[in-house]
Amino acid sequence: MNPTVMLPLLVAAIGAVTAGITTYTLFNTAISEDKTRLAQMVSSQASLIESVAQFDAAHSASVHPAGAFGATMIQIVEAHKSLSGFGETGEFVIGKIIEGRIALLQSPRFDGDIYFKVPEIVPIPMQMALAGKSGEIIAIDYKGNEVLASFAPVPILDIGLVAKIDTSEIYQPFIVSGGMIVVLTTLMIGIGIYASRQFSVPFMELETEKKRVEKYLDIVGAIIVILDKDGNIQSINRRGCDVLGRNEKDIIGKNWFETAIPVNQREQIKGVFAQLMGGDIEPVEYYENEIIDVNGETHLIAWHNSYISDVDGNITNCLSSGEDITEQKKYENALQVSQTRFNKSQEFANIGTWDWNIQTGDLYWSDRIAPLFGYGKGELETTYDNFLASIHPDDRQAVIDAVNDCVEKGIEYNIEHRTIWPDGTIHWLHESGDVVRDENGNPLNMLGVVQDITERMTMQSQLVQSSKMATLGEMATGVAHELNQPLNVIRMAVNNIQNKSDKNNLDFDYLKEKLSKVDKMVERAAAIIDHMRIFGRTTAGDMEILDGANVISSALGLIGEQLRLANIEIVTRFNAPETYLLGYQVQLEQVILNLIGNARDVLKEKTDGKKRITIS
């Protein structure tokens, strides 16, 4: 066939294929980016809301009319007012199950209003979010529109979070472009056939075809630029001119780098382009860089490149299709800032979060978990076995039982336990959590929060010890009385022995009797001193089986003299069989002493009648 006949058909085919590939690539990229963007938005917002809810539960529950939930929801409403970047139909939706029905958060009618309403159509994404699931889906929303939605639960508030955008908004540019491709391809083929018949005027037909291709490139939403090997602009579409804020006639023929690249990046990008066109480095199919418009404002562009070569394989031109992602990057940066703030808030509160997939056994925990177990970030492999191995052996079974009770019986997971760090030090942790279940009640995930309470437990132990020492000081009079009795008996026995000895009237049986009495009194005094020493030290060792009556008698031995001096009678009634319990004797004595001390303080104010404390 005559080349003059083939040329129009070839141009039409190339134009159609190029346009189709470009549109298809941009469509897939847009869908993928929208899914990623929505997933990041929902994940970040869910994590941030959970962190805020934890803080409000600890600090705002008593100061807000609606409690911690209301305090958190007010912050959510205000925060979502400032979010942007969704396009014309993008929307955040928050849902909650109220009286067995799914209700959606409405726009506030006045400041501080938290208003949920049951819609006519219950959207599937919100149903899945409130069932404890996360993901992306194309479904019908509460307005009856088809949407691309990402969803996630926020278990601590029993709410679901959905970010959605109408698919019509996503598809519209590509539907128009696809229609134009079909129309233009048909036109180009028709023109090519016509050109083959009118081969006597090929240059006129080629010019017409060029204008039509250029017209199509103007319709495409991406920036289209063709550069020669020196970086001079051979062609640029209307979108490219709009972004740069310049006319086509002012751009064609000028150097792209001198015209569109910021000064501080110009030489570096020019150098890379020269290496590409010279074949010194491999062609780059995708990259991002900034361009500057006529007003001096910068735009971040994501470029997809293809290259045109001569018959010898040398690159002669670069064709680039670019998308302005400036706003998208701003939103991604905002998400990063939000995530950073969330991580900082966990570090500040010394809190970690975890999510255990009960079905698969997979475990996720935040960056703060490893440091809470004495490891650096990322040093502790995320497994349930590693979690259990870090727990103090004496507390491990209690934690396992608490987890099992939560999963199997629905009992709230709320426990304090010790953990042993790799350096051998012992720290205290408080954990709380709950299980997410499906509609049949089967466990899906267990979510939890971990906080270091070592400082609190240390202070508590110090307060208990201070209280005990204060009690000992207060009871000094009683203890002195208890010691004086055996000492007086010993002194009398020694004096009697000395008198008998001075009169040469000391027989063996008399001496044996007196020494036996001295030995008993020494034993009694030593027992009192040992009891004081044990009572004054910090609690250590394991719990033991205690006789309740003996514990009460020991406590009365410390405070009995004070009660006698205050003219208070003590009556004990231990008529029941011996009562045994498991505990720490010193701690139990401290409790009993506090109760008796409170009763004593009340009776001190009594001015008439008999003063009596009865312990049964």
Side-chain angles (χ1 to χ4, degrees):
M1 184 180 290
N2 192 312
T4 58
V5 176
M6 295 177 58
L7 184 59
L9 295 176
L10 182 60
V11 171
I14 291 174
V17 171
T18 301
I21 292 174
T22 301
T23 302
Y24 180 75
T25 301
L26 292 174
F27 174 80
N28 285 336
T29 301
I31 294 296
S32 177
E33 290 177 348
D34 280 335
K35 286 184 177 180
T36 301
R37 178 180 60 167
L38 292 178
Q40 290 174 341
M41 288 165 58
V42 167
S43 175
S44 174
Q45 290 301 308
S47 298
L48 185 58
I49 289 171
E50 184 170 348
S51 180
V52 171
Q54 291 169 1
F55 182 87
D56 287 338
H59 302 284
S60 302
S62 61
V63 300
H64 193 276
F69 178 84
T72 303
M73 291 305 300
I74 286 296
Q75 295 182 64
I76 294 172
V77 170
E78 292 301 320
H80 284 182
K81 288 180 181 178
S82 63
L83 290 177
S84 60
F86 275 91
E88 295 180 358
T89 61
E91 184 181 5
F92 262 112
V93 182
I94 294 175
K96 183 175 180 63
I97 296 178
I98 300 177
E99 298 181 353
R101 303 180 68 187
I102 295 177
L104 304 182
L105 181 65
Q106 307 296 308
S107 299
R109 296 167 292 184
F110 51 85
D111 289 343
D113 182 34
I114 302 298
Y115 175 45
F116 285 85
K117 180 180 179 182
V118 177
E120 294 182 1
I121 300 176
V122 179
I124 293 177
M126 184 58 69
Q127 294 181 38
M128 300 181 76
L130 289 173
K133 300 179 181 179
S134 301
E136 298 84 41
I137 191 174
I138 293 178
I140 303 301
D141 72 350
Y142 65 94
K143 298 177 182 178
N145 300 328
E146 183 182 81
V147 297
L148 172 62
S150 181
F151 51 90
V154 184
I156 191 171
L157 294 179
D158 290 329
I159 65 174
L161 185 61
V162 175
K164 67 183 185 65
I165 186 170
D166 288 1
T167 55
S168 59
E169 182 178 346
I170 302 173
Y171 298 159
Q172 183 62 30
F174 303 101
I175 292 173
V176 173
S177 298
M180 292 301 300
I181 290 172
V182 173
V183 172
L184 289 174
T185 300
T186 303
L187 288 174
M188 286 187 289
I189 292 174
I191 292 170
I193 295 173
Y194 179 78
S196 66
R197 296 178 178 177
Q198 302 293 327
F199 61 88
S200 60
V201 285
F203 296 104
M204 183 181 298
E205 296 297 337
L206 285 174
E207 185 64 24
T208 300
E209 184 65 20
K210 176 183 177 182
K211 290 181 179 179
R212 293 188 179 276
V213 171
E214 291 175 348
K215 184 67 175 178
Y216 167 74
L217 294 179
D218 287 339
I219 296 173
V220 174
I223 302 170
I224 305 294
V225 180
I226 299 178
L227 305 180
D228 65 18
K229 64 182 303 180
D230 296 321
N232 297 319
I233 304 170
Q234 291 190 326
S235 177
I236 185 169
N237 69 342
R238 182 182 300 168
R239 174 59 177 161
C241 294
D242 291 342
V243 173
L244 292 174
R246 300 173 183 271
N247 295 322
E248 181 181 2
K249 63 181 180 179
D250 297 330
I251 299 177
I252 298 298
K254 292 187 177 181
N255 187 274
W256 170 258
F257 307 103
E258 301 295 333
T259 303
I261 303 300
V263 175
N264 61 335
Q265 304 173 32
R266 190 171 296 165
E267 293 305 318
Q268 188 265 337
I269 296 177
K270 284 175 67 175
V272 173
F273 183 80
Q275 291 179 299
L276 284 170
M277 302 306 285
D280 298 331
I281 60 176
E282 291 294 320
V284 177
E285 296 182 359
Y286 177 85
Y287 70 97
E288 297 176 3
N289 74 276
E290 291 182 337
I291 63 174
I292 187 168
D293 64 24
V294 70
N295 297 318
E297 295 184 5
T298 58
H299 303 259
L300 183 63
I301 310 298
W303 297 102
H304 297 268
N305 302 323
S306 59
Y307 300 89
I308 303 172
S309 302
D310 59 19
V311 293
D312 297 322
N314 300 314
I315 298 176
T316 59
N317 297 87
C318 176
L319 186 153
S320 299
S321 170
E323 180 185 2
D324 190 336
I325 59 172
T326 307
E327 293 302 318
Q328 176 184 328
K329 280 295 181 181
K330 287 181 180 178
Y331 186 78
E332 290 175 358
N333 292 337
L335 284 178
Q336 183 61 44
V337 170
S338 176
Q339 185 64 41
T340 300
R341 289 174 179 168
F342 171 69
N343 292 337
K344 288 293 183 184
S345 68
Q346 285 200 343
E347 291 181 9
F348 178 76
N350 212 8
I351 290 174
T353 56
W354 50 266
D355 182 349
W356 176 37
N357 188 318
I358 299 173
Q359 304 297 320
T360 65
D362 294 335
L363 179 64
Y364 160 81
W365 56 44
S366 65
D367 290 341
R368 284 301 304 158
I369 292 290
L372 291 175
F373 287 97
Y375 294 86
K377 292 181 180 179
E379 291 183 2
L380 183 62
E381 185 181 358
T382 309
T383 66
Y384 186 65
D385 289 340
N386 282 346
F387 161 68
L388 293 179
S390 299
I391 298 174
H392 192 287
D394 293 345
D395 298 346
R396 191 172 297 149
Q397 189 59 48
V399 173
I400 294 173
D401 292 341
V403 171
N404 292 339
D405 286 345
C406 185
V407 174
E408 297 170 5
K409 304 177 183 178
I411 299 175
E412 180 185 6
Y413 181 65
N414 194 333
I415 191 170
E416 294 177 353
H417 66 80
R418 291 165 292 176
T419 180
I420 301 179
W421 283 19
D423 61 6
T425 58
I426 295 178
H427 295 253
W428 280 89
L429 298 178
H430 174 261
E431 295 200 49
S432 59
D434 206 351
V435 173
V436 178
R437 303 177 185 274
D438 62 18
E439 58 275 10
N440 298 319
N442 299 314
L444 300 176
N445 290 70
M446 185 172 180
L447 310 174
V449 177
V450 185
Q451 185 173 26
D452 192 309
I453 57 170
T454 303
E455 183 176 354
R456 190 193 82 191
M457 298 297 287
T458 301
M459 291 180 63
Q460 181 177 319
S461 176
Q462 291 172 348
L463 287 173
V464 171
Q465 184 65 15
S466 298
S467 176
K468 288 195 297 183
M469 299 309 294
T471 301
L472 285 176
E474 185 180 358
M475 297 175 180
T477 301
V479 173
H481 175 78
E482 292 293 326
L483 287 174
N484 276 334
Q485 285 187 332
L487 289 175
N488 287 334
V489 172
I490 292 171
R491 182 171 58 189
M492 291 177 61
V494 170
N495 287 337
N496 290 335
I497 293 173
Q498 287 177 338
N499 290 334
K500 288 279 187 179
S501 176
D502 291 341
K503 297 177 181 180
N504 293 321
N505 194 22
L506 182 65
D507 61 66
F508 178 77
D509 291 337
Y510 180 84
L511 179 62
K512 183 178 179 180
E513 176 190 352
K514 293 297 181 181
L515 290 177
S516 176
K517 183 176 292 186
V518 168
D519 182 64
K520 290 180 180 179
M521 292 300 102
V522 170
E523 183 178 340
R524 179 181 175 186
I528 294 173
I529 294 171
D530 283 345
H531 186 223
M532 295 289 294
R533 177 176 55 81
I534 294 172
F535 185 82
R537 71 189 181 193
T538 58
T539 301
D542 298 326
M543 292 190 292
E544 55 187 330
I545 297 175
L546 305 172
D547 182 347
N550 288 341
V551 173
I552 293 173
S553 298
S554 297
L556 290 174
L558 295 175
I559 201 172
E561 180 63 14
Q562 287 189 50
L563 299 175
R564 185 188 67 78
L565 294 175
N567 295 319
I568 297 174
E569 178 187 1
I570 288 290
V571 177
T572 58
R573 296 172 180 168
F574 303 147
N575 299 326
E578 294 178 327
T579 302
Y580 294 99
L581 56 146
L582 188 66
Y584 298 99
Q585 177 163 344
V586 173
Q587 291 183 355
L588 187 54
E589 285 184 20
Q590 179 68 34
V591 172
I592 294 170
L593 286 171
N594 287 344
L595 293 172
I596 296 175
N598 291 340
R600 174 204 60 194
D601 293 341
V602 172
L603 290 175
K604 279 183 178 180
E605 304 298 325
K606 187 177 180 182
T607 58
D608 59 336
K610 200 166 187 177
K611 301 178 182 180
R612 177 184 296 133
I613 297 174
T614 302
I615 304 174
S616 300

